[in-house]
């Protein structure tokens, strides 16, 4: 190292900046009409997420049971949730933020409900619908009943029974009346104002008896005005056109039915309308069209005119068991648009196909978007205008096994210069216990799924400066993936899609480790070779120079079938990890046989295609670990290699003598991953204890411990710019740890400078006898010693009565200080009480504590003191008084804080009082002894005087 260069500082502080946590595990989902907020279910909790940033906004207080139905009002102001316990709760949605913060912690706020109905139905509620005015809620239950609720007042306005079984679908049909009709009705009665603006107010229901029923909310009758029979199975979706002319129903009988509502209800004259008020009369709604869709439909809806484009006629979308959204032309009965995007994998087995089925879909006409929820907990957003997938959320990643960063927009020849650019490490690939590879955009957290493997993916690695991805799987093969830009002009970055460009087959067991060549320069090809390790205990060297580093999105080519150049039996047990040295000369392997081995890579190219030769020769065996070695990593700056083992240790080995140089111990369970950081000065490790640790290589000391996981941390990834670390664990959580060492140092320097200024201000206030500002400043700086010295200095001047007008009586010793205590705000009073409690526990400082406490109780009323513990006003003093050890609701915290204060004051005050009383008693004894001594001395003297006389 050049002596003129300053030594690099160790990185000691990392903070969570983003967290990819489970978004949806089971149950229903809902999307706001503006497509900005998403409501999902994670275990027993309901979560609100920002769609654009994928950040968790808040959670809603539940009742420890899963939610069975969700609905957001069209006004986006309220969320309605029904739980398994049959409780219906209404929540107010927080206002959308213009710049939502990224997800940094799982400790998000929990929103309380504004209204609760303890038992909304006698059976589980699976469907909810809200009317266009956001005033009425319809709930359909398994008990065969439908109830209409007033959302703002919380009472039932209509109750319809006799549904013939479980209610499977609900829809409102509100059609506005003409202006003249509405005005005339408004003059007649103010009570009719709510319904006068609507020509028709109907509720349409579907149930398991395959019938669709229509109820008129404006009529005083509880039976349906029309019953539609046409389905042979459960109708799962009901939709009414915006003009109220057409009704579309779809279900699991694989057909769409179109009904003519306009002809049926407009044909009713005034006399006929009167007869429909009588129970038992029906309106005949005719079936106009039947469209076979050849799949079980779980969601369907009528598209608005704006989303139909220039085409005329009725357009209907369907979503169901095939996992795609299709748009149908009702007149021709043909599909006009198919929206794909969800991937179920290469295996076409029935179990895999079921994972891609759509179980619910929501049409959002305001943004021309269809959101679909699939059986594997993925949520897709399709744009009807762009005819493409615009957003994808992966609800649950399950156990994350491996992770690596990718830079699809970089170039191998410019990788070194572009390592700090924004496009560097722009994507994060995850391998989970699935055959699909998860690909996340690190900026927006938009996800895509890569299909190709037929069994679980076990390992990942990047090559060609991060442009190419390699994966190994339990299907005994390795695949190479290359990016292609979609919708990008020349020289611009568009949306990236990934395609399999090569397949490596030849192992007889699962491929558990892959490693690309590392050397990248202008004289060498982008890809040279790749090495794979398997549970068959062999390693294979593959020539990948012919593999392209980018693919064409317009014309997808079949993947290349690669052949191995060399095969070696490497270990006696499973191979867990491989790594290639930066100069492509050495290979390190790690195995469950407790050893790591170093191989020499002999790879050469001859003129002509396919003339590469390669071989692997054993150089050394690294022995020393007591259990299996999980990971191995070369340093990019020193001739050393690090190994992580199940014996809870990490060892650093020399590549010169192959001896163990250092051993790092500190984890309480198996160390699963290790990597170098900060130009080889530090190590990063992750373990089965759920912790990520940073180590100083020179001192073998742990400099930081990062904790945000509850399960084994299998994956560890560091981008090329090393600005943050990513850890991923078996708890389905991915954490982005940003390096904040320099920022923390700057903050500490700023705090020190600010503290110096405050200390000088405090001394100036005391000198000027500005006690109010001095006390407030000492409390804000949290310096009880300075505060104690101030109270102690003025304490001798206490007076209870005084005839001197210039020296009035004072409780504390200074009238100004008395006034400060009398007018302290609740927060500062809480801090002062905390200091008084601490002073009171010490015999050297209790006198000042008792004087200050006496002043507080004498100068302030009890009601004023209790405001410090008022839950209606957020007060940090509640936490400070109890040293932060508070749990429960706001009122619980109030009582706990007050109890902590009294428990700390009363015993010591009683002890001080007993001590003072004992001193007084002892003083009487001393006085008595002295008086007796005086009498004993004086009496003999008088006798002697009398004798002399």
């Amino acid at each position: 190292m050049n002596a003129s260069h300053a030594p690099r500082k160790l990185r000691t502080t990392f903070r969570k900046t983003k967290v990819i946590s489970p978004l949806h595990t089971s149950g229903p989902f809902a999307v706001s009409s503006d497509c900005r907020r998403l409501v999902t279910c994670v275990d027993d909790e309901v979560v609100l997420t920002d769609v654009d940033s994928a950040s968790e906004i808040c959670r809603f207080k539940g009742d420890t049971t899963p939610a069975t139905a969700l609905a957001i009002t069209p006004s986006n102001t309220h969320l309605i949730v029904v739980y398994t316990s049959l409780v219906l709760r209404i929540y107010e949605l927080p206002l959308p933020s213009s710049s939502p913060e990224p997800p940094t912690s799982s400790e998000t706020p929990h929103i309380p409900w504004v209204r609760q109905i303890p038992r909304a139905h006698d059976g589980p509620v699976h469907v909810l619908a809200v009317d266009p005015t956001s005033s009425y809620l319809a709930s359909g239950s398994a008990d065969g009943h439908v109830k209409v609720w007033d959302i703002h007042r919380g009472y039932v306005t209509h109750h319809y029974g006799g549904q013939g079984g479980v209610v499977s679908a609900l829809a409102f049909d509100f059609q506005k009346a003409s202006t003249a009709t509405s005005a005339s009705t408004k003059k007649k009665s103010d009570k009719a104002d709510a319904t006068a603006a609507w020509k028709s107010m109907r509720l349409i229901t579907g149930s398991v008896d395959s019938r669709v029923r229509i109820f008129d909310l404006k009529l005083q009758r509880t039976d349906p005005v029309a019953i539609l029979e046409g389905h042979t199975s459960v109708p799962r979706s009901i939709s009414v056109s915006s003009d109220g002319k057409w009704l579309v129903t779809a279900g699991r009988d694989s057909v769409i039915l179109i009904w003519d509502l306009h002809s049926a209800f407009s044909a009713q004259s005034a006399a006929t309308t009167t007869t429909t008020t009588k129970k038992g009369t029906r309106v005949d709604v005719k079936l106009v069209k039947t469209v076979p869709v050849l799949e079980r439909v779980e969601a369907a809806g009528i598209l608005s005119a704006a989303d139909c484009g220039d085409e005329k006629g009725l357009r209907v979308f369907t979503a169901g068991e095939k996992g795609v959204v299709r748009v149908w032309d009702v007149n021709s009965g043909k599909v006009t648009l198919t929206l794909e995007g969800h991937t179920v994998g290469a295996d076409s087995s029935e179990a895999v196909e079921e994972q891609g089925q759509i179980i619910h879909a929501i049409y959002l006409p305001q943004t021309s978007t269809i959101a679909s929820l699939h059986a594997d907990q993925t949520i897709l957003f399709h744009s009807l205008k762009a005819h493409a997938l615009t957003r994808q959320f992966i609800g649950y990643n399950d156990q994350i096994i491996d992770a690596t960063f990718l830079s699809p927009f970089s170039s191998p020849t410019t990788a070194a210069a572009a390592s700090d650019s924004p496009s560097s490490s722009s994507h994060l690939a995850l391998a989970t216990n699935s055959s699909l590879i998860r690909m996340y955009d690190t900026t927006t957290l938009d996800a895509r799924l890569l299909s190709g493997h037929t069994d679980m993916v076990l390992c990942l690695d990047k090559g060609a400066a991060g442009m190419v991805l390699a994966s190994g799987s339990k299907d005994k093969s390795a695949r190479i993936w290359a990016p292609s830009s979609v919708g990008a002009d020349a020289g611009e970055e568009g949306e990236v899609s990934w395609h399999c460009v090569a397949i490596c087959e030849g192992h007889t067991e699962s491929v558990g480790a892959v490693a690309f060549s590392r050397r990248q320069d202008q004289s060498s090809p982008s890809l040279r070779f790749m090495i794979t390790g398997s549970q068959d205990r062999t390693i294979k060297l593959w020539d990948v120079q012919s593999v392209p580093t980018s693919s064409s999105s317009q014309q997808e080519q079949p993947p290349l079938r690669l052949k191995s150049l060399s095969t070696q039996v490497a270990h006696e047990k499973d191979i867990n990890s491989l790594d290639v040295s930066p100069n492509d000369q050495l290979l390190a392997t790690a195995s469950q046989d407790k050893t790591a081995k170093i191989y020499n890579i002999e790879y050469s190219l001859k003129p002509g295609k396919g003339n590469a030769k390669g071989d692997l020769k054993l150089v050394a065996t690294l022995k020393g670990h007591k259990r299996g070695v999980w990971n191995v990593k070369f340093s990019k700056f020193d001739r050393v290699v690090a190994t992580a083992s199940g014996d809870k240790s990490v060892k650093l080995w020399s590549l010169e003598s192959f001896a163990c140089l250092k051993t790092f111990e500190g984890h309480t369970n198996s160390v699963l991953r290790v990597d170098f950081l900060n130009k080889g000065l530090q190590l990063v490790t992750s373990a089965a204890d759920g912790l990520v640790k940073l180590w100083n290589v020179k001192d073998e000391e742990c400099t930081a411990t990062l904790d945000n996981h509850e399960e084994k941390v299998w994956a560890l990834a560091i981008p090329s710019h090393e600005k943050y670390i990513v850890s991923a664990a078996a708890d389905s959580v991915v954490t982005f740890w940003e390096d904040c060492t320099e920022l923390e140092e700057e903050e500490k320097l700023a705090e020190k400078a600010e503290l110096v200024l405050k200390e000088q201000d405090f001394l100036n206030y005391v000198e000027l006898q500005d006690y109010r500002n001095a006390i407030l400043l000492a409390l804000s700086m949290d310096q009880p010693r300075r505060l104690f010295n101030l109270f102690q200095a003025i304490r001798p001047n206490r007076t209870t009565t005084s005839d001197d007008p210039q020296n009035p009586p004072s409780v504390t010793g200074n009238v100004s200080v008395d006034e400060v205590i009398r007018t302290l705000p609740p927060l500062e009073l809480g801090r002062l009480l905390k200091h008084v409690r601490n002073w009171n526990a010490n015999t050297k400082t209790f006198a000042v504590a008792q004087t200050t406490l006496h002043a507080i109780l004498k100068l302030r009323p009890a009601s004023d003191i209790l405001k410090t513990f008022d839950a209606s006003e957020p007060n940090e003093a509640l936490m400070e008084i109890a040293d932060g050890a508070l749990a429960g609701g706001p009122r619980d915290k109030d009582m706990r804080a007050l109890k902590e204060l009294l428990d700390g004051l009363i015993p010591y005050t009683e002890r001080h009082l007993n001590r003072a009383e004992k001193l007084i008693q002892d003083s009487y004894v001393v006085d008595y002894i002295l008086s007796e001594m005086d009498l004993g001395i004086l009496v003999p003297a008088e006798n002697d005087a009398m004798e002399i006389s």
Side-chain angles (χ1 to χ4, degrees):
M1 182 182 292
N2 193 339
S4 62
H5 292 170
R8 295 181 66 87
K9 295 182 180 180
L10 295 179
R11 301 177 182 180
T12 59
T13 305
F14 284 80
R15 299 175 185 172
K16 288 181 291 185
T17 55
K18 291 181 182 179
V19 175
I20 304 176
S21 57
L23 177 70
H24 184 77
T25 55
S26 62
F29 87 118
V31 186
S32 61
S33 59
D34 56 3
C35 200
R36 295 184 59 183
R37 288 175 290 179
L38 171 68
V39 179
T40 55
C41 300
V42 179
D43 295 330
D44 296 338
E45 293 190 287
V46 178
V47 181
L48 180 65
T49 304
D50 184 270
V51 174
D52 295 329
S53 64
S55 61
E56 185 175 313
I57 300 173
C58 66
R59 298 194 175 201
F60 299 93
K61 291 185 178 179
D63 65 345
T64 69
T65 61
T68 58
L70 299 174
I72 298 178
T73 58
S75 59
N76 298 329
T77 56
H78 291 83
L79 169 68
I80 299 95
V81 183
V82 183
Y83 296 92
T84 306
S85 61
L86 308 182
V87 174
L88 187 150
R89 288 179 176 174
I90 301 176
Y91 303 87
E92 283 188 355
L93 289 175
L95 296 176
S97 174
S98 57
S99 57
E101 296 294 329
T104 59
S105 173
S106 58
E107 299 177 358
T108 52
H110 283 67
I111 306 298
W113 62 89
V114 295
R115 188 176 300 280
Q116 174 178 279
I117 300 169
R119 192 177 180 86
H121 284 269
D122 293 331
V125 176
H126 296 289
V127 287
L128 295 174
V130 183
D131 79 300
T133 65
S134 301
S135 301
Y136 299 103
L137 167 72
S139 59
S141 170
D143 59 7
H145 289 262
V146 174
K147 293 182 181 180
V148 180
W149 308 80
D150 188 302
I151 294 177
H152 303 290
R153 297 174 180 84
Y155 61 84
V156 177
T157 61
H158 300 78
H159 186 178
Y160 302 114
Q163 295 294 320
V166 179
V167 180
S168 58
L170 291 172
F172 280 99
D173 176 21
F174 279 26
Q175 300 301 323
K176 290 186 177 181
S178 61
T179 307
T181 305
S182 177
S184 62
T185 309
K186 186 175 181 180
K187 293 179 181 178
K188 295 179 181 179
S189 172
D190 292 337
K191 187 177 181 180
D193 286 349
T195 60
W198 302 97
K199 182 176 74 172
S200 63
M201 297 174 64
R202 304 187 189 98
L203 175 64
I204 308 172
T205 68
S207 58
V208 293
D209 63 356
S210 72
R211 294 180 178 180
V212 177
R213 295 170 173 84
I214 302 177
F215 298 88
D216 197 322
L217 302 181
K218 301 181 73 172
L219 301 181
Q220 299 297 324
R221 54 184 291 184
T222 58
D223 64 322
V225 297
I227 298 179
L228 313 183
E229 297 183 2
H231 286 283
T232 59
S233 184
V234 182
R236 292 288 293 128
S237 183
I238 298 174
S239 178
V240 182
S241 60
S242 58
D243 55 7
K245 293 182 178 180
W246 307 104
L247 169 66
V248 171
T249 61
R252 293 174 180 170
D253 52 4
S254 304
V255 295
I256 305 173
L257 303 183
I258 293 87
W259 308 82
D260 186 358
L261 291 181
H262 177 71
S263 300
F265 286 97
S266 64
Q268 301 296 327
S269 61
T272 309
T273 305
T274 305
T275 61
T276 57
T277 61
K278 297 180 181 180
K279 188 173 182 179
T281 56
R282 297 283 188 267
V283 176
D284 184 18
V285 181
K286 293 184 179 181
L287 177 62
V288 178
K289 185 81 173 180
T290 300
V291 180
V293 295
L294 304 179
E295 67 167 334
R296 294 192 302 270
V297 178
E298 296 294 332
I302 301 175
L303 301 182
S304 64
D307 293 328
C308 294
D310 298 333
E311 300 176 356
K312 296 181 180 180
L314 198 63
R315 294 290 185 274
V316 178
F317 82 90
T318 60
E321 65 173 334
K322 292 187 177 180
V324 297
V325 177
R326 296 187 290 179
V327 178
W328 298 80
D329 182 355
V330 172
N331 294 331
S332 63
K334 295 181 179 180
V335 176
T336 60
L337 175 65
T338 300
L339 299 174
E340 299 180 351
H342 187 273
T343 309
V344 297
D347 189 358
S348 59
S349 64
E350 184 177 350
V352 175
E353 289 180 355
E354 287 180 356
Q355 295 299 312
Q357 294 182 3
I358 297 177
I359 58 179
H360 189 40
I362 300 173
Y363 171 51
L364 306 169
Q366 184 176 335
T367 57
S368 300
T369 303
I370 296 177
S372 59
L373 171 63
H374 296 254
D376 59 356
Q377 293 93 39
T378 57
I379 300 174
L380 278 63
F381 289 81
H382 291 278
S383 173
L384 292 172
K385 293 185 177 179
H387 297 176
L389 176 66
T390 57
R391 191 77 158 125
Q392 180 168 343
F393 291 96
I394 298 175
Y396 188 62
N397 283 316
D398 211 346
Q399 297 188 33
I400 302 173
I401 303 172
D402 202 358
T404 187
F405 278 98
L406 297 170
S407 305
F409 300 116
S410 65
S411 170
T413 58
T414 60
S419 61
D420 294 331
S421 66
S423 62
S424 175
S425 304
S426 60
H427 288 72
L428 176 66
L430 300 179
T432 66
N433 54 351
S434 168
S435 62
L436 304 177
I437 301 173
R438 273 75 167 159
M439 189 70 67
Y440 281 90
D441 187 304
T442 56
T443 304
T444 63
L445 298 185
D446 188 17
R448 293 294 183 268
L449 298 175
L450 309 185
S451 66
H453 286 290
T454 58
D455 207 339
M456 183 189 304
V457 178
L458 299 176
C459 54
L460 301 172
D461 194 30
K462 61 182 177 182
M467 290 185 65
V468 179
L469 172 69
S471 60
S473 169
K474 275 190 174 182
D475 61 7
K476 308 175 186 178
S477 70
R479 288 175 178 261
I480 300 177
W481 311 79
S484 64
S485 294
V486 179
D489 297 331
E492 296 183 0
E493 298 176 0
E495 181 184 346
V496 180
S497 63
W498 299 79
H499 304 280
C500 180
V501 294
I503 301 177
C504 303
E505 293 177 328
H507 285 288
T508 59
E509 295 292 341
S510 303
V511 178
V514 293
F516 271 119
S517 57
R518 307 301 185 195
R519 191 176 70 189
Q520 297 293 337
D521 52 39
Q522 295 182 0
S523 61
S524 65
S526 299
L527 290 174
R528 304 180 67 216
F529 59 83
M530 184 180 74
I531 302 174
T532 58
S534 170
Q535 288 184 357
D536 61 9
R537 305 169 190 176
T538 64
I539 53 178
K540 288 180 177 289
L541 176 65
W542 307 81
D543 178 25
V544 295
Q545 62 169 323
S546 60
V547 176
T549 57
S550 62
S551 61
S552 175
S553 60
Q554 288 84 8
Q555 193 173 7
E556 185 175 350
Q557 300 293 331
L560 301 175
R561 301 283 175 169
L562 303 181
K563 296 182 179 181
S564 63
L565 300 177
S566 174
T567 301
Q568 298 278 345
V569 177
H571 290 273
E572 298 177 357
K573 291 186 179 181
D574 296 352
I575 299 173
N576 294 327
S577 177
L578 300 174
D579 194 31
V580 178
S581 62
N583 58 3
D584 286 353
Q585 293 183 1
L586 297 176
L587 167 70
T589 65
S591 171
Q592 284 296 110
D593 62 5
K594 307 177 186 178
T595 65
K597 293 185 178 181
I598 306 298
Y599 287 84
N600 186 31
I601 303 174
E602 297 179 354
Y603 178 81
S604 60
L605 289 173
K606 291 185 178 181
K609 185 177 180 181
N611 292 329
K613 291 186 177 181
D615 197 6
L616 300 171
K617 292 186 177 181
L618 180 64
V619 177
T621 301
L622 309 179
K623 297 182 179 180
H625 284 293
K626 298 178 181 179
R627 291 192 177 182
V629 183
W630 282 106
N631 196 224
V632 62
K633 212 73 174 178
F634 282 103
S635 172
K636 296 179 181 178
F637 299 91
D638 300 299
R639 290 186 58 80
V640 294
V641 63
T643 56
S645 170
D647 60 8
K648 310 175 188 178
S649 69
V650 174
K651 291 183 180 291
L652 200 65
W653 308 80
S654 170
L655 292 178
E656 302 290 344
S657 62
F658 302 106
C660 179
L661 303 177
K662 296 178 183 292
T663 300
F664 303 85
E665 295 179 329
H667 283 287
T668 59
N669 212 325
S670 301
V671 184
L672 304 176
R673 290 290 184 270
V674 62
D675 206 345
F676 287 89
L677 186 69
N678 199 11
K679 290 192 175 181
L681 298 178
Q682 291 179 275
L683 282 175
V684 185
T685 60
S686 65
D689 56 10
L691 300 177
V692 177
K693 289 181 177 288
L694 274 77
W695 306 83
N696 182 2
V697 173
K698 181 179 180 181
D699 300 332
E700 301 180 35
E701 293 182 352
C702 178
T703 58
T705 299
L706 313 178
D707 184 8
N708 192 46
H709 297 283
E710 298 178 355
E711 298 289 343
K712 299 177 181 179
V713 184
W714 284 106
L716 195 66
I718 302 176
S720 56
H721 50 67
E722 295 188 353
K723 293 181 180 178
Y724 49 79
I725 300 171
V726 167
S727 60
D731 56 4
S732 187
V733 174
V734 181
T735 307
F736 289 72
W737 305 93
E738 185 179 359
D739 180 17
C740 299
T741 305
E742 295 183 0
L743 180 62
E744 187 180 56
E745 291 180 356
E746 293 175 358
E747 290 177 353
K748 288 182 178 179
L749 291 176
E751 289 177 359
K752 288 182 179 179
E754 186 180 2
L755 183 60
V756 170
L757 293 177
K758 287 184 176 181
E759 288 178 349
Q760 184 60 48
D761 290 340
F762 178 81
L763 296 176
N764 294 338
Y765 289 144
V766 173
E767 185 69 22
L768 298 174
Q769 296 186 352
D770 186 357
Y771 293 113
R772 178 176 182 83
N773 287 328
I775 292 174
L776 291 175
L777 190 58
L779 289 172
S780 65
M781 289 191 299
D782 195 20
Q783 293 188 350
R785 191 64 192 175
R786 291 185 180 273
L787 199 60
F788 175 81
N789 292 336
L790 189 151
F791 285 128
Q792 188 179 38
I794 63 175
R795 185 171 177 272
N797 301 327
R798 292 178 301 152
T799 56
T800 56
T801 59
S802 177
D803 297 332
D804 185 2
Q806 296 183 352
N807 188 22
S810 171
V811 182
T812 60
N814 189 286
V815 178
S816 300
V817 176
D818 291 355
E819 183 63 25
V820 172
I821 293 178
R822 184 183 291 110
T823 58
L824 269 180
L827 175 61
E828 307 301 336
L829 180 60
R831 289 175 177 170
L832 181 58
L833 285 171
K834 175 188 174 182
H835 297 325
V836 168
R837 183 195 64 179
N838 297 335
W839 297 338
N840 196 48
N842 194 327
T843 55
K844 296 181 180 180
T845 58
F846 83 93
V848 174
Q850 288 294 317
T851 302
T852 308
L853 182 61
H854 174 61
I856 294 173
L857 297 176
K858 185 177 181 63
L859 298 174
R860 305 191 72 141
S863 60
D864 196 10
I865 298 175
L866 286 176
K867 288 182 179 179
T868 307
F869 308 93
D870 186 6
S872 62
E873 298 180 5
N875 196 330
E876 296 178 8
L878 298 178
M879 298 298 295
E880 294 187 4
I881 289 174
D883 296 328
L886 296 177
R891 179 54 57 184
D892 295 334
K893 292 185 178 183
D894 296 348
M895 297 300 103
R896 285 280 305 277
L898 182 58
K899 185 177 182 299
E900 291 277 348
L901 176 65
L902 295 178
D903 289 347
L905 287 174
I906 293 176
Y908 286 101
T909 301
E910 290 177 347
R911 186 181 302 177
H912 301 324
L913 179 61
N914 293 336
R915 187 186 298 112
E917 290 178 348
K918 189 175 183 303
L919 288 174
I920 293 175
Q921 293 176 1
D922 292 343
S923 68
Y924 284 123
V925 175
V926 173
D927 290 343
Y928 174 75
I929 293 174
L930 290 176
S931 65
E932 289 297 322
M933 292 175 63
D934 291 342
L935 290 174
I937 295 174
L938 293 175
V939 171
E942 292 176 355
N943 294 336
D944 294 341
M946 291 174 64
E947 292 177 359
I948 293 172
S949 61

